[in-house]
Each structure stands twice: as structure tokens, then as C-alpha cells.
Amino acid sequence: MSSYRCLGECQFWAEDPEEARDTYNKGIELAKALDKLAPEMSIQYIRLLGNLGNLESRVGNKKEALNAWVQAVNFCQRLYAGNRRGDIRKEARRYFESLRPNVLALARELQDEQAAQMENQTLQETPANVPAASPEEPTPVPAPEQKQQ
């Protein structure tokens, strides 16, 4: 999936948003087809969704941008709650905190009440408090805890 993300970024910065969108969507579809994602692949999935949101925002497709960012933030939440490995939790938190302001600003602009509810959302420790995945979304697999040396 990182290949799709990198290629999409190159296309995005080369001012070819249609190709970048297609590339990001192919990577996202691959992730969805896998059903379950290893932790490192889960981070790449979040990055693909975030990049797709950035692209859609830049070309003026605000609803599509908001949708991609909300999916990424919710996936961060599921990945964080389902893992105890520090590096994975750190990355999930970093993306959650970087994407959340975009979601809130765009939700206010579009008057999207559902997305605006993220105002008080924080990363939760337990999966019971985490937004449910849609049926077509992959599931992040917990990482084995790293052993201390």
C-alpha cells in the first residue's frame, strides 16, 4: 500500500489530481479487499485516506475530503484501541491529531453535524468506545507487544 501512497503523492505534486485520486483509490480498495490489516499496513491505509482527503480538499471536493478524513480518524481510533504496541499507538495518535482539526474545520464549514461531533472525541483505550467500522472497511489486527531488551 505504501507504493500506492508514494505514487499518488508524486502524481498529486505533479499537478495530476485525477491520476493521484485513481492511485489512492486503488490502494484503498486493496486494503478493503484484504479484510484484515497488519498494524504497519493499517498506518499506510490511514495515510492513503488522509492523502485522498488532502487531494479532494485541494481540488474543492469538500464533502469527499471530509468523508476520507472521517474514515481515517475513525480508523486511527480503532487501531489505537486495538493495539498495545507503543510505536503503532504513537503513529495512530499522530495521524488522529493531525487530521482531526481538518475534520472539525470542514465539518463546521459544511454544517455536517455528524463529523462535528468529533469536537470532544479523543483516542479511547477500549474498543467498546470506538466508532464501529463499516462492513466494507478492513479491520486492524493487533500487533504483538515488543519485548524490552
Side-chain angles (χ1 to χ4, degrees):
M1 274 186 292
S2 62
S3 297
Y4 286 104
R5 183 186 52 77
C6 291
L7 179 58
E9 286 177 3
C10 291
Q11 293 164 330
F12 177 79
W13 291 113
E15 302 292 329
D16 194 350
E18 293 300 321
E19 286 295 319
R21 180 183 295 113
D22 288 345
T23 300
Y24 290 144
N25 281 324
K26 285 177 186 173
I28 291 166
E29 290 307 312
L30 172 65
K32 289 178 180 180
L34 293 175
D35 188 42
K36 295 187 184 288
L37 296 178
E40 292 78 6
M41 290 180 73
S42 293
I43 294 296
Q44 294 303 319
Y45 179 67
I46 291 166
R47 292 179 77 181
L48 276 167
L49 288 168
N51 286 0
L52 180 60
N54 294 342
L55 178 141
E56 297 296 1
S57 176
R58 185 170 183 192
V59 299
N61 297 333
K62 294 179 180 182
K63 279 198 156 313
E64 290 83 355
L66 182 61
N67 181 49
W69 287 334
V70 166
Q71 287 180 57
V73 166
N74 287 339
F75 201 83
C76 285
Q77 184 71 274
R78 287 190 294 283
L79 182 62
Y80 185 87
N83 277 279
R84 294 292 163 242
R85 207 170 100 189
D87 60 330
I88 298 299
R89 289 173 64 99
K90 181 179 176 182
E91 283 296 299
R93 175 177 295 284
R94 187 168 75 84
Y95 285 109
F96 177 87
E97 290 173 354
S98 70
L99 291 169
R100 191 169 162 268
N102 296 346
V103 169
L104 294 175
L106 201 48
R108 283 187 208 104
E109 182 181 332
L110 296 175
Q111 298 179 344
D112 185 308
E113 291 182 28
Q114 185 176 3
Q117 290 177 359
M118 288 187 179
E119 184 78 48
N120 298 318
Q121 184 177 346
T122 59
L123 287 175
Q124 301 293 319
E125 295 293 326
T126 58
N129 299 325
V130 174
S134 68
E136 68 273 357
E137 281 189 300
T139 303
V141 176
E145 292 194 36
Q146 291 178 323
K147 295 182 180 180
Q148 298 290 332
Q149 293 185 7

